[in-house]
């Protein structure tokens, strides 16, 4: 597993030009508070009682409420969604959401829950960046969450690990795949991955 992929798993296990803060840092309804709640609750689930299946279900529910997977999917697919039918777009969004959450949630229990430190919160209208650090026994990694305000609250629309965007990482993979095949075959590949037995 690459360093970026590993940190992608870890950051989900617990789960910034300069803008003037419009929400006080650490405000109860602000992006920093929302991020902290998810990270701390995830750590409680990983460390808490229950079998693996119960923890996976709890983490799935938690992360679905925090990750804006539609925004991540649009960033990841980029130009490849242009000209697609509403049905194709909806199917891609569904497959991406299910695979993204399932893959990372299944793998996160392979690792000990890391410690988290919180650096800063920058808010500009309905978008924000929250800077955090993941602290493991042997290293420290900077993780920046890009969030946007939605009717359901602040949700993460991208994640940067050591300045590497998770959405851009997916886009590179999709660009490579679609250089060799068409969009329908890409959807077929995603379906097969989703239908594969959970490991």
């Amino acid at each position: 597993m690459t360093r970026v992929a590993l940190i992608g798993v870890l950051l989900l296990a617990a789960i910034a030009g300069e803008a003037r803060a419009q929400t006080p840092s650490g405000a109860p309804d602000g992006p920093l508070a929302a991020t902290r709640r998810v990270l701390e609750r995830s750590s409680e689930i990983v460390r808490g009682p229950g079998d693996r299946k119960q923890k996976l279900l709890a983490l799935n529910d938690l992360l679905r409420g925090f990750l804006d997977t539609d925004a991540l999917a649009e960033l990841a697919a980029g130009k490849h969604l242009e000209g697609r039918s509403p049905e194709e777009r909806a199917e891609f969004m569904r497959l991406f959401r299910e695979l993204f959450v399932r893959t990372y949630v299944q793998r996160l229990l392979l690792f000990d829950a890391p410690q988290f430190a919180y650096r800063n919160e920058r808010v500009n209208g309905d978008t924000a960046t929250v800077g955090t650090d993941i602290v493991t026994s042997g290293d420290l990694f900077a993780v920046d969450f890009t969030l946007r305000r939605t009717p359901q609250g602040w949700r993460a629309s991208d994640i940067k690990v050591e300045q590497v965007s998770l959405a851009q990482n997916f886009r590179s993979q999709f660009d490579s795949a679609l250089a060799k095949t068409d969009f329908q075959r890409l959807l077929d590949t995603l379906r097969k991955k989703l239908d594969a037995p959970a490991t």
Side-chain angles (χ1 to χ4, degrees):
M1 185 179 293
T2 66
R3 172 174 164 139
V4 170
L6 170 62
I7 300 308
V9 172
L10 290 175
L11 68 89
L12 291 179
I15 313 244
E18 195 161 32
R20 183 176 61 188
Q22 297 180 359
T23 301
S25 179
D29 59 346
L32 175 58
T35 304
R36 186 192 298 268
R37 281 194 296 270
V38 171
L39 297 182
E40 293 181 354
R41 177 57 186 146
S42 296
S43 288
E44 290 173 1
I45 293 171
V46 171
R47 293 189 176 102
D51 61 23
R52 185 174 185 275
K53 183 177 180 180
Q54 291 171 322
K55 292 181 180 181
L56 290 174
L57 290 172
L59 289 164
N60 263 296
D61 290 343
L62 177 68
L63 294 174
R64 287 176 194 279
F66 178 67
L67 295 172
D68 191 340
T69 52
D70 284 353
L72 280 162
E74 289 178 355
L75 285 171
K79 63 183 180 181
H80 302 299
L81 285 180
E82 294 177 3
R84 302 299 169 189
S85 68
E87 292 77 17
E88 288 176 317
R89 288 179 63 92
E91 179 69 352
F92 176 79
M93 294 294 186
R94 182 187 72 82
L95 292 169
F96 183 91
R97 176 174 60 252
E98 296 298 325
L99 284 169
F100 184 91
V101 174
R102 190 182 81 169
T103 298
Y104 284 91
V105 166
Q106 284 176 344
R107 292 180 181 175
L108 65 86
L109 290 181
L110 297 175
F111 304 92
D112 291 331
Q115 300 298 312
F116 292 86
Y118 304 92
R119 288 184 278 107
N120 57 4
E121 171 192 78
R122 295 182 180 179
V123 182
N124 186 17
D126 288 334
T127 62
T129 301
V130 173
T132 73
D133 291 317
I134 292 178
V135 184
T136 68
S137 58
D139 218 332
L140 181 147
F141 303 95
V143 179
D144 292 334
F145 294 83
T146 301
L147 300 98
R148 66 176 183 177
R149 195 196 309 268
T150 74
Q152 295 75 37
W154 290 96
R155 301 185 70 193
S157 58
D158 195 13
I159 303 161
K160 289 184 179 180
V161 180
E162 296 291 330
Q163 298 302 310
V164 177
S165 163
L166 203 58
Q168 292 296 331
N169 196 327
F170 275 106
R171 179 178 291 189
S172 296
Q173 295 180 46
F174 290 141
D175 286 346
S176 178
L178 288 169
K180 304 172 185 177
T181 188
D182 60 30
F183 194 77
Q184 282 300 323
R185 289 186 180 178
L186 173 64
L187 293 180
D188 288 341
T189 299
L190 297 178
R191 289 189 194 99
K192 289 177 182 177
K193 288 182 180 293
L194 189 59
D195 291 339
T199 57

